Amino acid sequence: MKSVAALALAMTVAPVAGNAASGANDDVVAPALERYEQETLEKGLWARPGLSARDRSVVTVAAVITRNQTGLMPEQIRRALDNGVKPAELSEIITHLAFYAGWGNAMAAVDAARPVYAERGIGANQLPAAAPTLLPLDEAKEARRAASVEQTTGPASPGLVRDTREVLFRDLWLRPDLAPRDRSLVTVSALISAGQVAQVPFHLNRAMDSGLTREEASEVISHLAYYAGWPNAFSAAPVAREIFEKRTNP
Amino acid sequence: MKSVAALALAMTVAPVAGNAASGANDDVVAPALERYEQETLEKGLWARPGLSARDRSVVTVAAVITRNQTGLMPEQIRRALDNGVKPAELSEIITHLAFYAGWGNAMAAVDAARPVYAERGIGANQLPAAAPTLLPLDEAKEARRAASVEQTTGPASPGLVRDTREVLFRDLWLRPDLAPRDRSLVTVSALISAGQVAQVPFHLNRAMDSGLTREEASEVISHLAYYAGWPNAFSAAPVAREIFEKRTNP
Amino acid sequence: MKSVAALALAMTVAPVAGNAASGANDDVVAPALERYEQETLEKGLWARPGLSARDRSVVTVAAVITRNQTGLMPEQIRRALDNGVKPAELSEIITHLAFYAGWGNAMAAVDAARPVYAERGIGANQLPAAAPTLLPLDEAKEARRAASVEQTTGPASPGLVRDTREVLFRDLWLRPDLAPRDRSLVTVSALISAGQVAQVPFHLNRAMDSGLTREEASEVISHLAYYAGWPNAFSAAPVAREIFEKRTNP
């Protein structure tokens, strides 16, 4: 057992947040967490099939940004880059979550990403343009979406209907540096992480229309159990089941 | 492109939290966010009619406190003061949210407000008394509210029923330094920001009884899409629609 | 009234977070909060019967960890130890919440607990083993639980079903350093604090099966009104009422 003085010294030398984020010294408070981290998360969850390590990082980054967990952000941003998420994709994930998780969450993520980008020498030439050429819009699909939102939301908030159309579906969703399938994966992960299951059906269907497989979607939920808590995963599961059943029984 | 060393130096000189909160250097991580901030938020959302800049600040401060977004608090508190929210009103907003968002959220807001109050020379003479003369109570209205809560909540938690009556409706809600209409605006904003739509009907009706117009309520929802995330706005919209319909079809 | 210079000095000397966490200087921003803290929380809530101070601390620690309120964590961890929560129990509470509130919440709690454990000389000999001898499993009860989850969740996420069985109910829940009744108390508190009422029935029933009384459960809800916000308490109350009615009308 370290002396109190030695611990105090250690706390002075190594920043507390950095320590805990990396899992180091968990044993000083909760020895089981170190075991769960090594065995259950690292050798278990992150290594198992069903969802690539790259996609697991997309899901985890979305979860920690949505839940505003500033302590986990630096390590998960580094891990995402290590797992093959491109800097431009990561920037788009943060930008996307400014709208789906809230402006302040994105600002906190920018804070966390800035030093990581600096330490890895990631510069403007690797980042998306502020106003790039947008992907082509599927006008028929967008018209159906707009009509549905107009019906449910228009009488309550015309401003929300307009911004959803102009800012989200005719701009944000068409930005080219994050594939539509990944943008949907981020959105679904954000919804589950925030316990917002009401909008999971629309976005999970959209994700699967864009190529997310049922096996991947299933594993997104079990992955998020660890990073957004079991209750959020349990709330998402029956919603996903209903989607899966409807899609396989055409 | 700045060199890594220059970036590291910049990070040393300017505190990271201050940077991101003001949106400066977003372009180092996500160039689009700078554009959205200038065009969509500043020239768009905050400038448009339907809700005064002062009310937008009340709503935004309520959102960032409810969501415990410590990074955005200082700038939004400054902005609220700039937009005409009085220091006494701001203090009451924080006090109100101690109960509607949770004690810890209010404590974090006190942390964020203290240096802003200090830098602006706001002192005790501009703040509400700890125990001021309360506004008169509408006993008939309060009796109806109490009866309703007694029915739904009394069998589960007599303590909650009693505290709701004594601490909230016979004390907090009657404190004079925040108008009832604004207190309701704060409450509705907190409920929407936390995804707690079940209690929106009671408080939105109360807000409109106290003078919040339908146009304002509608714009509260689209404003909160940006600061509490699209999913929370979308969850609130159908609830508000139902209230609007009931109120306009007597 | 202190001068601005004096305030700035005070802010330099005493860390802001430490100030607010202890409630000191609330009067500089919101004088009523100091009054509510002394009269309503300290002389009222924490002192009243129905729930022991020790259990109130278990509930409060669970709430602040679930809500990731890093500002309140140090003082509530100290208070829990003062109120008789053993270090080993506190470590298990944090470990438990890694799964029920999310991994990042537990990491933030480890951060907050580490210096408290250091200052009180709490060392490894007072902490639970990483892999202790587990409590015996009630196989029949677990088989019923597993069958129910398999039915609702299996078709959506086999991984979630397996992890719930292997990691939670055949490992975490059987760790001996936190009594099953307390583990359920932590879980119920986490669910209410996160506004996740859907899973309250299962866990509240389990808590009461393990010895939590109806009076205690009732007071958990009114206690959480203060630490998780009134809306979460109000959402939990009707769910609890239904449980109470079903259990008392066999």
Side-chain angles (χ1 to χ4, degrees):
Chain A
M1 184 180 123
K2 293 183 188 175
S3 72
V4 174
L7 277 169
L9 181 62
M11 285 156 44
T12 310
V13 175
V16 168
N19 257 352
S22 66
N25 293 116
D26 290 358
D27 57 331
V28 177
V29 170
L33 284 176
E34 178 69 19
R35 174 169 76 81
Y36 284 123
E37 183 169 33
Q38 292 308 316
E39 294 179 12
T40 310
L41 292 183
E42 295 308 316
K43 292 183 193 161
L45 185 71
W46 282 84
R48 72 193 189 197
L51 194 65
S52 71
R54 184 263 184 196
D55 284 350
R56 288 184 190 274
S57 267
V58 170
V59 169
T60 309
V61 165
V64 300
I65 294 176
T66 299
R67 294 165 61 75
N68 209 25
Q69 294 181 313
T70 50
L72 283 197
M73 284 183 197
E75 66 173 298
Q76 291 300 338
I77 289 170
R78 282 191 193 95
R79 182 167 205 164
L81 293 168
D82 293 341
N83 281 343
V85 179
K86 291 177 202 149
E89 291 175 324
L90 204 41
S91 295
E92 285 300 311
I93 290 170
I94 294 171
T95 302
H96 194 82
L97 290 171
F99 300 94
Y100 281 93
W103 190 258
N105 299 55
M107 290 296 107
V110 165
D111 264 357
R114 193 182 301 111
V116 177
Y117 279 30
E119 85 193 12
R120 300 213 173 183
I122 296 167
N125 61 337
Q126 289 175 267
L127 300 183
T133 303
L134 298 176
L135 297 175
L137 177 64
D138 181 337
E139 292 280 0
K141 188 177 168 190
E142 167 57 11
R144 285 195 301 276
R145 185 209 59 75
S148 163
V149 167
E150 175 58 44
Q151 193 173 25
T152 54
T153 305
S157 183
L160 181 59
V161 170
R162 189 186 56 238
D163 290 359
T164 303
R165 184 181 65 235
E166 299 302 326
V167 183
L168 299 196
F169 287 94
R170 290 180 179 274
D171 184 354
L172 182 71
W173 279 88
L174 305 178
R175 295 176 55 83
D177 290 281
L178 188 65
R181 179 259 194 202
D182 291 341
R183 218 170 263 283
S184 285
L185 181 59
V186 169
T187 311
V188 168
S189 299
L191 290 167
I192 296 175
S193 299
Q196 280 282 6
V197 296
Q199 290 146 60
V200 165
F202 174 81
H203 285 290
L204 182 53
N205 268 316
R206 192 176 169 100
M208 295 178 82
D209 290 345
S210 298
L212 191 77
T213 69
R214 178 173 163 162
E215 187 186 15
E216 287 169 336
S218 161
E219 190 61 15
V220 166
I221 296 172
S222 54
H223 190 91
L224 283 173
Y226 291 93
Y227 288 98
W230 241 258
N232 284 326
F234 265 127
S235 293
V239 179
R241 187 185 61 173
E242 209 176 316
I243 302 296
F244 294 163
E245 286 169 358
K246 281 188 187 156
R247 293 182 68 94
T248 53
N249 302 322
Chain B
M1 184 181 122
K2 293 183 188 175
S3 71
V4 174
L7 278 169
L9 181 63
M11 283 155 47
T12 310
V13 175
V16 168
N19 258 352
S22 67
N25 291 116
D26 291 359
D27 57 331
V28 177
V29 169
L33 285 176
E34 179 68 19
R35 174 169 75 82
Y36 285 123
E37 183 168 33
Q38 291 308 315
E39 294 179 13
T40 310
L41 292 183
E42 295 308 315
K43 292 183 195 160
L45 185 71
W46 283 85
R48 72 195 191 197
L51 195 66
S52 70
R54 184 262 186 197
D55 284 350
R56 288 183 191 276
S57 268
V58 170
V59 169
T60 310
V61 165
V64 300
I65 295 176
T66 300
R67 294 164 63 74
N68 208 26
Q69 293 181 313
T70 49
L72 283 197
M73 283 182 198
E75 65 173 299
Q76 291 300 339
I77 289 171
R78 282 191 194 93
R79 183 168 204 162
L81 293 168
D82 292 342
N83 281 341
V85 179
K86 291 177 203 150
E89 291 174 324
L90 204 41
S91 296
E92 285 301 310
I93 291 170
I94 295 172
T95 301
H96 194 82
L97 291 171
F99 300 95
Y100 280 92
W103 189 259
N105 299 54
M107 290 295 108
V110 166
D111 264 357
R114 193 182 303 111
V116 177
Y117 278 32
E119 84 193 13
R120 300 216 173 182
I122 297 168
N125 61 338
Q126 290 176 267
L127 300 183
T133 303
L134 299 176
L135 297 175
L137 177 64
D138 181 336
E139 292 280 1
K141 188 176 168 192
E142 167 57 12
R144 285 195 302 276
R145 186 210 58 75
S148 162
V149 166
E150 175 59 43
Q151 194 173 25
T152 55
T153 305
S157 183
L160 181 59
V161 171
R162 187 186 57 238
D163 290 359
T164 303
R165 184 181 64 235
E166 300 301 327
V167 183
L168 298 196
F169 286 95
R170 289 181 179 273
D171 183 356
L172 182 72
W173 278 89
L174 304 178
R175 293 177 57 83
D177 290 281
L178 188 66
R181 178 259 195 201
D182 291 342
R183 216 170 265 283
S184 285
L185 181 59
V186 168
T187 312
V188 168
S189 300
L191 289 167
I192 296 174
S193 298
Q196 279 281 8
V197 295
Q199 290 146 60
V200 165
F202 174 82
H203 285 290
L204 182 53
N205 268 316
R206 193 177 169 100
M208 296 177 82
D209 290 345
S210 299
L212 191 77
T213 68
R214 179 174 162 161
E215 187 187 15
E216 288 169 335
S218 162
E219 190 59 18
V220 166
I221 297 171
S222 54
H223 190 91
L224 283 173
Y226 292 93
Y227 288 98
W230 241 259
N232 284 326
F234 265 126
S235 293
V239 179
R241 187 186 60 172
E242 208 175 316
I243 302 296
F244 293 163
E245 286 169 358
K246 281 190 187 157
R247 292 182 69 94
T248 53
N249 301 322
Chain C
M1 184 182 123
K2 294 181 188 177
S3 71
V4 174
L7 277 170
L9 181 63
M11 283 155 48
T12 310
V13 174
V16 167
N19 258 353
S22 67
N25 292 116
D26 290 358
D27 57 331
V28 176
V29 170
L33 284 176
E34 178 69 19
R35 174 170 75 81
Y36 285 122
E37 183 169 33
Q38 292 308 316
E39 293 179 14
T40 310
L41 292 183
E42 296 307 316
K43 292 183 195 160
L45 185 71
W46 282 85
R48 71 195 191 196
L51 194 65
S52 70
R54 184 262 185 196
D55 284 350
R56 288 184 190 275
S57 267
V58 169
V59 169
T60 309
V61 165
V64 300
I65 295 176
T66 299
R67 295 165 61 75
N68 209 26
Q69 293 180 314
T70 49
L72 283 196
M73 283 183 199
E75 66 174 296
Q76 291 300 338
I77 289 170
R78 282 191 194 95
R79 183 168 204 163
L81 293 168
D82 293 342
N83 281 342
V85 179
K86 291 176 201 151
E89 291 175 324
L90 205 41
S91 295
E92 286 300 310
I93 291 170
I94 294 172
T95 301
H96 194 82
L97 290 171
F99 300 94
Y100 280 91
W103 189 259
N105 299 54
M107 291 296 108
V110 166
D111 264 357
R114 193 182 302 109
V116 177
Y117 278 32
E119 84 193 13
R120 302 214 172 181
I122 297 167
N125 61 337
Q126 290 175 267
L127 301 184
T133 303
L134 299 176
L135 298 175
L137 177 64
D138 181 336
E139 292 281 359
K141 187 177 169 191
E142 167 58 10
R144 285 194 301 275
R145 185 210 61 75
S148 162
V149 167
E150 175 58 44
Q151 193 173 26
T152 55
T153 306
S157 183
L160 181 59
V161 170
R162 187 186 58 239
D163 290 359
T164 303
R165 183 181 65 233
E166 300 302 327
V167 182
L168 299 197
F169 287 94
R170 290 180 180 274
D171 182 356
L172 182 70
W173 278 90
L174 303 178
R175 294 177 56 84
D177 290 281
L178 188 65
R181 179 258 194 201
D182 291 340
R183 216 171 265 284
S184 285
L185 181 60
V186 169
T187 311
V188 168
S189 300
L191 289 167
I192 296 175
S193 299
Q196 279 281 7
V197 295
Q199 290 146 59
V200 164
F202 174 82
H203 285 291
L204 182 53
N205 267 316
R206 193 177 168 101
M208 295 177 82
D209 290 345
S210 298
L212 191 76
T213 69
R214 179 173 164 162
E215 186 187 15
E216 287 169 336
S218 162
E219 190 60 17
V220 166
I221 296 172
S222 54
H223 190 90
L224 283 173
Y226 290 94
Y227 288 98
W230 240 258
N232 285 326
F234 265 127
S235 294
V239 178
R241 187 186 61 174
E242 209 176 317
I243 302 295
F244 294 163
E245 287 168 357
K246 281 188 187 157
R247 292 182 69 96
T248 53
N249 302 321

